[in-house]
Amino acid sequence: MTPYDYDLGIIGGGAAGLTVASGAAQLGAKTLLIEKEPQLGGDCLHYGCVPSKTLIKTAQVYQLLKNSSKFGLPSVTPSPVDYGKVIARIQSVIDEIQTHDSVDRFCQLGVKVEFGSPMFEDEHQVMINGRKAAAAKWVIASGSSPAVPSYAGLDQVSFLTNKELFSLETLPASMVILGAGPVAIEMAQAFNRLGTRVEVIQRSSQILSKEDRDMADIIMHNLRQEGVIFHLNSTVEAIEDAGGARSRVTIKKKGDEQLMKLEAEKLLVALGRRANLEDMGLEKIDIDFSPKGLTVDKRLRTSQKHIYAAGDVTGSYQFTHAAGYEGGIVLSNAVFHLPRKVDYTTIPWCTYTEPELAGIGMNSKTAQTAGIEYSEWMEEFKENDRSLTEGNQVGMIKMLLDGSEKPIGVQIAGPHAGELLNEWVAVMNGGVKLMTLAGAVHPYPTLGEISKRVAGKPLARKIFSDKIKKGLKLFFGLKGRACDV
Ligand SMILES: Cc1cc2nc3c(=O)[nH]c(=O)nc-3n(C[C@H](O)[C@H](O)[C@H](O)COP(=O)(O)OP(=O)(O)OC[C@H]3O[C@@H](n4cnc5c(N)ncnc54)[C@H](O)[C@@H]3O)c2cc1C
């Protein structure tokens, strides 16, 4: 028995904290979970994945309505969007999911949930709501917040981040988005589809800059065709109030002498995240951190070995599924006492635009940086019958193979790319051979056939080679082509 009140204390009730809390309590650890907001669930449920994906679906339906004639249906001019109703739908989805993340449910699992702001008093003890609580081990899972840049004038205007975006009362007529990462691009398409005039400012020459250019360009091209305006290679010079509740952003495009002024009703700042490290008394416990987040080793231990960190607060892979994965690693080390290290090689990701852009493992950029020799294999959605029946001709799958023809990465830009990627999640985690995937019968017509097709390409090159043809001719007397162009 330890002299502490709890075996495990967790700060933060988001994806990472909740994973650790439910696992630890079910394993019999006396667990305290502290959350500073009035509800559990974290950013993903309240201001991130759930509201954004709900909004994206609504925007997709509206887009389909507007494009009904493309499907041989009567053309429709739908009424303007009542954003209040959209928000109500978003809230109802959040409420539904909130029941999975309720205090009652966690209490039933055996977790003591406290709401408030804990402050470390020493390495084992925090002060919470005027009481002391000590735990043998702690997990810091306090997540991240939107990073706000120090652009001249930004502090003089009102701007939105993902925290305010899903509670606006009316649909903005226009929006300027700073940044072109996944959150920015998803929201650019969704708001544009709903009727907002959207302009995106990006410093570099490509949107979704971690992705390969050819894949990111597929997304940008589609968004452009739908009406999103992109200002690439552009830096923000100044931001000011333009009167009439509008903001003005002055930008400078690389190579252009003249500055350009953009005006919009709303300004959305989507320029990345910063770890939530403040107001926890971390200065009292001598723990290492950098601007990126808490410093952890491969077992997710901080410089205080009994204090672990998981999720966005470590600054590594800022996804809900990565937070859940890291929560599992912490459980293994802190509760099971089984040393387990993180391995991000097969962490997948997806940007939920239409078409979606999903990936796992290496892309050409990361393979080149790592100096790995690889070959690229592509298959386009316009060759996939199901994609055509769905009215989609856009996108492709790209597979990277190493020298021994083992898949080291796959990216898909196309319809339901995130769902299609799951087959590759199994392939890459299970070490499934390409031949197995290529030989496995997939139902026709499905989008998933694209994975079988691309997996079969390196094999097809060998099977249908001149060498094999010559051999067959020699042994079986095949006569060769029956038709020549
Ligand atoms: C708009 C948007 C869309 C996104 N979409 C996706 C997506 O589609 N898929 C995906 O995988 N990821 C998505 N993400 C990322 C995802 O939301 C995060 O990676 C995930 O929430 C991280 O989980 P976490 O537990 O680390 O942090 P959080 O979920 O943020 O949880 C941290 C919790 O700690 C609490 N906390 C903070 N400080 C303290 C403190 N001092 N004391 C007590 N409690 C504290 C916070 O209130 C919060 O509840 C999206 C993010 C955004 C912003």
Side-chain angles (χ1 to χ4, degrees):
M1 291 280 281
T2 65
Y4 304 108
D5 308 313
Y6 297 94
D7 298 310
L8 193 66
I10 301 158
I11 297 177
L18 293 177
T19 304
V20 180
S22 75
Q26 290 181 80
L27 288 168
K30 191 175 175 194
T31 305
L32 170 67
L33 174 65
I34 308 174
E35 169 55 51
K36 76 168 186 190
E37 296 281 337
Q39 282 173 316
L40 297 177
D43 242 38
C44 180
L45 177 56
H46 299 285
Y47 314 108
C49 334
V50 173
S52 63
K53 267 77 250 178
T54 313
L55 181 76
I56 284 169
K57 181 65 193 181
T58 293
Q60 268 170 6
V61 174
Y62 197 59
Q63 184 74 0
L64 274 176
L65 273 178
K66 289 187 283 181
N67 286 300
S68 57
S69 60
K70 285 191 187 160
F71 297 87
L73 293 171
S75 58
V76 182
T77 309
S79 308
V81 169
D82 178 343
Y83 199 64
K85 287 190 177 152
V86 176
I87 291 298
R89 182 176 111 80
I90 290 176
Q91 194 54 50
S92 75
V93 176
I94 294 175
D95 292 345
E96 180 97 31
I97 298 177
Q98 184 74 70
T99 56
H100 309 159
D101 295 346
S102 69
V103 176
D104 275 0
R105 185 173 156 251
F106 277 82
C107 185
Q108 274 168 22
L109 293 172
V111 180
K112 165 86 177 153
V113 179
E114 286 251 20
F115 290 100
S117 292
M119 291 293 280
F120 277 101
E121 294 275 295
D122 61 39
E123 290 82 3
H124 284 280
Q125 184 166 264
V126 298
M127 188 64 111
I128 167 82
N129 299 330
R131 291 186 307 276
K132 288 178 175 170
K137 290 176 185 167
W138 283 93
V139 183
I140 301 178
S142 51
S144 66
S145 299
V148 177
S150 54
Y151 293 141
L154 184 58
D155 55 348
Q156 305 296 314
V157 299
S158 82
F159 60 86
L160 305 170
T161 67
N162 66 298
K163 287 234 155 166
E164 298 75 34
L165 197 59
F166 307 109
S167 50
L168 292 175
E169 280 171 11
T170 52
L171 184 75
S174 53
M175 185 185 282
V176 164
I177 302 182
L178 306 185
V183 172
I185 295 303
E186 287 181 0
M187 292 302 99
Q189 185 177 48
F191 275 92
N192 179 69
R193 286 179 158 191
L194 292 175
T196 302
R197 179 181 193 273
V198 177
E199 295 186 73
V200 174
I201 305 172
Q202 164 74 332
R203 194 177 3 192
S204 72
S205 62
Q206 182 199 314
I207 67 164
L208 302 169
S209 49
K210 289 185 180 165
E211 305 283 354
D212 284 346
R213 180 181 291 273
D214 52 356
M215 304 306 272
D217 279 353
I218 292 172
I219 309 300
M220 188 173 73
H221 183 71
N222 217 49
L223 264 66
R224 241 185 203 148
Q225 279 194 326
E226 290 183 10
V228 177
I229 301 156
F230 289 95
H231 301 281
L232 302 180
N233 292 310
S234 298
T235 46
V236 174
E237 296 287 304
I239 297 172
E240 61 196 324
D241 190 335
R246 292 167 72 81
S247 300
R248 183 178 302 123
V249 185
T250 307
I251 59 169
K252 186 174 186 322
K253 193 169 181 188
K254 209 168 153 189
D256 277 5
E257 284 299 308
Q258 270 199 321
L259 298 176
M260 193 174 182
K261 290 184 190 299
L262 316 176
E263 263 188 40
E265 200 180 294
K266 294 286 176 204
L267 186 59
L268 172 64
V269 176
L271 286 161
R273 314 281 301 169
R274 63 170 179 80
N276 291 331
L277 297 172
E278 62 287 345
D279 303 331
M280 264 188 281
L282 291 185
E283 58 288 350
K284 287 203 181 156
I285 57 170
D286 187 25
I287 197 167
D288 291 348
F289 54 86
S290 69
K292 191 180 154 225
L294 277 175
T295 309
V296 286
D297 64 12
K298 291 247 174 209
R299 290 168 61 188
L300 297 181
R301 295 173 302 183
T302 66
S303 50
Q304 293 281 356
K305 296 295 176 218
H306 68 287
I307 304 181
Y308 294 76
D312 279 14
V313 74
T314 66
S316 44
Y317 287 77
Q318 294 183 317
F319 305 117
T320 295
H321 46 278
Y325 166 69
E326 290 172 350
I329 297 284
V330 167
L331 267 181
S332 198
N333 286 294
V335 182
F336 262 118
H337 296 271
L338 280 177
R340 219 179 122 204
K341 293 180 179 174
V342 277
D343 175 1
Y344 295 111
T345 325
T346 53
I347 290 283
W349 67 93
C350 184
T351 298
Y352 297 90
T353 42
E354 200 173 354
E356 293 179 353
L357 176 47
I360 184 168
M362 293 194 153
N363 59 21
S364 314
K365 273 187 187 169
T366 50
Q368 278 162 24
T369 309
I372 290 176
E373 233 177 81
Y374 66 93
S375 58
E376 279 182 2
W377 301 84
M378 268 81 125
E379 176 75 18
E380 294 193 60
F381 276 96
K382 64 178 186 223
E383 308 293 338
N384 176 279
D385 292 359
R386 182 58 183 273
S387 192
L388 298 182
T389 66
E390 300 271 312
N392 176 72
Q393 301 215 356
V394 175
M396 65 175 176
I397 184 168
K398 186 191 324 186
M399 173 180 75
L400 267 65
L401 303 182
D402 67 9
S404 55
E405 302 213 324
K406 198 172 139 235
I408 54 168
V410 172
Q411 289 89 53
I412 309 174
H416 304 289
E419 304 293 339
L420 295 178
L421 192 77
N422 284 328
E423 186 162 22
W424 292 96
V425 170
V427 165
M428 293 203 42
N429 281 284
V432 175
K433 288 203 163 61
L434 273 191
M435 206 187 293
T436 311
L437 176 56
V441 179
H442 286 55
Y444 174 86
T446 54
L447 296 169
E449 286 177 293
I450 198 165
S451 297
K452 174 182 161 74
R453 283 283 288 266
V454 78
K457 279 195 160 181
L459 308 170
R461 191 178 62 171
K462 286 180 199 149
I463 293 172
F464 301 121
S465 66
D466 286 345
K467 203 169 148 191
I468 296 277
K469 272 191 257 179
K470 262 190 206 156
L472 290 176
K473 193 174 180 181
L474 191 71
F475 284 111
F476 305 114
L478 299 186
K479 294 197 177 86
R481 296 182 67 93
C483 180
D484 280 312
V485 188

